[in-house]
Amino acid sequence: MSGSETHVPKRGPAAGFEETVKDFWRSRPVRPVAGRKFAGVAAGLGYRYGIDPTVVRVALVAATVFGGFGVFVYLLGWLFLPQEGDQVSAFEGLIGRGRASSSPAFAVLLLILLFPGITWTFSGGWMGDGTGLIGFALMAVALYLLHRNRGQYNRPVMPTPAQPAAAFSMASAATASTATESGWDPLAADPSAWDLPNASPSGGLPPQTPPPPPAPPMPRRRKSKIGAATFGFAVLVGGVGTVMGLDGEPWFTLPHVIGLTLAVVGIGLVAGSFVRGGRGLIGLAVPLAIAGMALTTVPFENFSVKGGLGDLQGTPTQVSEVLPEYHRSAGDINLDLTKLPAGAAVTTKVTSGAGNSTVLVPAGAEVKVSCETGAGDVDCLGQSRSGVGEDTIDFTSPGDSGQKITLKVKNGVGNVEVRRG
């Protein structure tokens, strides 16, 4: 044995995963200068794996809207994917691994922006409940499978430092110097004139080295019919869901039917990205996503013709004067319950489609209160919420005056405030 050891790669799924991740880093996408909309992250991923960059952009926007992690993924790509013409990425340029067009100050700024981005992702963005972290994990798995199946195509070639042009002349000069020092000079010529190209065995100039073979081109595929098939199946799912909803099935509400249809379109887009098809589904996915977001964040049941328009003021002084519900489709509602007599027990509801709702309750009353808004700020007896999405504050505040008030305040769009008077 010579003492050398032959490396034998490990077998099994773990080794395959490790090799795929390492190969992704070695041949990671390059952010192009031309054809990009912002920093080139979506364009780089699309060109690298033969996917329409528009599909990648739609996926990142949808990830930002529904999970909050799209911005975080884009910042990661901006920081760790090199730009076309650079030797390394912005982060590697910051730590001195090579030349990058991004300045160190800009790389530090991207690093700083990652911290609120990762916090927002782990908290689930607008949706909450950890959906951002789950979505980020699913996107990472999708990228892993994409590289495992299409990583052999469009592999980028990073620029390397140029080789010194005088290396051959220096070697020739060294050879000539050696021959002169040994006393052998058969032609009695100036050794500096011996800097000639090596002759081939048959005489003449040496043979030219053939250029390296080009990367294998992306195989041409037949035009996919996945777009038409997905559209037909989405219409079928939407139609069946609508019929079941009209038939009295409580789960098949309009938001749920739109969600099912959007899920079918999303699966079609992902499948179409592998076979270069289904781009026309984007025109269906975008309005469905907007409609689904609107229906799940804004409670449209608060809007009704019967509610009327304009501001509403209420100051009841007797229990009999308290209405079961104070409602406006659009307008502010101001309800003052501080004039009720001692020992009064009332139950009422305040709803507004668009507008602010303010309720004053007696200082010593026991209040069982529920506050909710689709978009706006909530200040409910000292407890606050802010943002988009239904987030109900529901609790009981004790009192010592003997008055008992059960109150529910719900807005579609607008601020909700309940305070003691």
Side-chain angles (χ1 to χ4, degrees):
M1 298 292 291
S2 61
S4 62
E5 203 173 303
T6 304
H7 175 68
V8 179
K10 298 179 180 179
R11 303 289 182 184
F17 172 80
E18 182 180 354
E19 288 301 321
T20 302
V21 172
K22 288 181 178 179
D23 186 68
F24 170 79
W25 179 256
R26 287 192 297 264
S27 62
R28 59 202 148 146
V30 173
R31 297 184 289 112
V33 176
R36 67 186 189 182
K37 300 299 183 182
F38 192 55
V41 175
L45 288 169
Y47 297 156
R48 172 67 176 87
Y49 298 110
I51 302 173
D52 192 333
T54 305
V55 176
V56 182
R57 295 184 184 110
V58 170
L60 289 173
V61 171
T64 301
V65 172
F66 291 102
F69 60 94
V71 174
F72 177 64
V73 171
Y74 200 91
L75 288 174
L76 281 177
W78 199 346
L79 187 62
F80 290 100
L81 298 183
Q83 181 173 281
E84 182 181 359
D86 291 352
Q87 293 178 345
V88 295
S89 64
F91 177 78
E92 292 169 300
L94 176 65
I95 61 177
R97 292 290 183 87
R99 178 183 57 80
S101 57
S102 300
S103 65
F106 185 73
V108 171
L109 175 62
L110 291 177
L111 278 173
I112 294 174
L113 292 176
L114 277 179
F115 287 99
I118 194 172
T119 302
W120 196 26
T121 297
F122 286 177
S123 64
W126 291 316
M127 300 309 213
D129 301 328
T131 54
L133 181 58
I134 296 173
F136 179 77
L138 291 175
M139 181 169 283
V141 171
L143 185 60
Y144 167 80
L145 295 176
L146 191 64
H147 185 80
R148 192 175 181 92
N149 288 278
R150 302 172 73 91
Q152 69 271 27
Y153 305 119
N154 304 327
R155 298 179 69 88
V157 179
M158 301 301 296
T160 55
Q163 297 294 330
F168 182 78
S169 298
M170 292 175 62
S172 299
T175 304
S177 175
T178 303
T180 303
E181 290 174 1
S182 63
W184 180 69
D185 188 7
L187 300 179
D190 185 3
S192 62
W194 295 355
D195 188 12
L196 298 174
N198 293 330
S200 62
S202 60
L205 293 176
Q208 297 294 325
T209 303
M218 183 75 72
R220 299 181 64 88
R221 299 177 184 267
R222 294 179 298 176
K223 187 175 180 181
S224 172
K225 298 180 179 179
I226 194 168
T230 303
F231 179 80
F233 190 61
V235 171
L236 178 62
V237 169
V240 171
T242 302
V243 170
M244 295 188 72
L246 294 175
D247 198 37
E249 292 292 336
W251 189 86
F252 288 92
T253 61
L254 183 58
H256 286 169
V257 173
I258 291 180
L260 287 173
T261 308
L262 185 60
V264 173
V265 175
I267 294 173
L269 282 171
V270 174
S273 66
F274 287 92
V275 295
R276 295 184 176 183
R279 290 192 299 174
L281 295 173
I282 298 173
L284 180 60
V286 172
L288 282 175
I290 295 174
M293 182 180 179
L295 288 172
T296 53
T297 56
V298 179
F300 285 96
E301 67 272 11
N302 290 345
F303 294 87
S304 67
V305 178
K306 296 180 180 180
L309 304 175
D311 297 342
L312 175 63
Q313 302 283 340
T315 310
T317 58
Q318 300 294 329
V319 174
S320 60
E321 295 177 0
V322 178
L323 300 178
E325 181 176 2
Y326 296 84
H327 179 63
R328 278 292 181 267
S329 292
D332 295 341
I333 300 176
N334 292 281
L335 179 61
D336 186 355
L337 301 177
T338 60
K339 307 300 182 183
L340 293 174
V346 297
T347 299
T348 187
K349 182 178 180 180
V350 176
T351 58
S352 175
N356 300 324
S357 297
T358 303
V359 181
L360 292 178
V361 297
E366 177 184 321
V367 183
K368 184 178 181 181
V369 63
S370 174
C371 300
E372 180 181 334
T373 184
D377 299 332
V378 176
D379 186 355
C380 195
L381 295 178
Q383 297 193 27
S384 301
R385 298 285 189 277
S386 180
V388 178
E390 298 182 18
D391 191 1
T392 304
I393 300 176
D394 194 348
F395 67 100
T396 299
S397 178
D400 53 9
S401 68
Q403 294 171 313
K404 295 184 178 181
I405 297 176
T406 302
L407 177 66
K408 183 175 182 179
V409 187
K410 186 175 182 180
N411 277 19
V413 177
N415 300 330
V416 171
E417 182 181 9
V418 178
R419 66 177 188 271
R420 294 186 181 272

